Amino acid sequence: MNHFPAARARTAVASALAALVMSVLPGCGSSTKDTGAADVKLPPVGAAWDYQIGGAYPPPEGVRIVSRDRADDPAPGLYNVCYVNAFQTQPGEKWPSRLLLHDKSGEVVNDPEWDGEAVLDITTAAKREEAAERVGAWIESCADKGFDAVEPDNLDTFTRWPGLLTADQATAYVSLLARRAHDLGLAIAQKNTGPLAARRAQTGLDFAVVEECGRYDECGAFAKPYRNRVVVVEYEDKGMAKACDGFGDRLSVVRRDRDVSTPDDDGYVRDVC
């Protein structure tokens, strides 16, 4: 099974950066003019959705948006988002050493939260282009399968290694992925990372997929610049209550278990506002 990012650890750095979101960029309505990308279908605002990146299963009744891992197929008749781990490797993948981030001692930087995941080196334009080519092949596979959009995970990696990566590098890299997605007719989501929501003109991102914005009081950082085109997953009751109370009438909010499991698993949880 491919990696899934449920409840990825938030750092104090990320929380502090989110508080710096002071401005937003204009968007318009529900058309593709939100980002200027042609022939891109955007997700419906406020529609019921399900987060299935831990394994595909028949969507519950009323669901109109589904996010699934790139290894799975889209759900027929729904708006389908394809999950891709775009800023870190997945176990078993072979990446050249030159595209893996190294610390000051020369060691490859690995994410301690996810065994076997190395951080990609996006510090130069050449490395960003090469990494984007590799990830772009996965995005193309999503398009070939019939997905409507792509969700590139770990955009917030720069907040966890601030001495090695920067927001500007992440912005430049994700803009390459956005260009590739749009060329393939796919919309592309911002995954978490509130401080970058105000950079829509630079990133070219179309909507947002956000984990635990209720818990961390971040929903507004995404709702305004993306004009409520935001899908939210919460993993705890308290965060779910806050997301529903503050944004349940305009954002798509779902409560899932932290493993994002399937209904045949004993730990499966799914609830809506």
Side-chain angles (χ1 to χ4, degrees), residues 48-50 52 59-66 78 270:
W49 88 294
D50 199 16
Q52 298 187 4
E61 185 177 355
V63 165
R64 296 173 60 194
I65 305 170
V66 171
L78 304 184
R270 183 182 184 275

Side-chain angles (χ1 to χ4, degrees), residues 224-239:
K224 197 169 182 180
Y226 284 105
R227 292 188 175 271
N228 296 333
R229 205 176 298 280
V230 180
V231 293
V232 178
V233 57
E234 297 287 340
Y235 301 114
E236 297 180 357
D237 290 339
K238 186 175 181 180

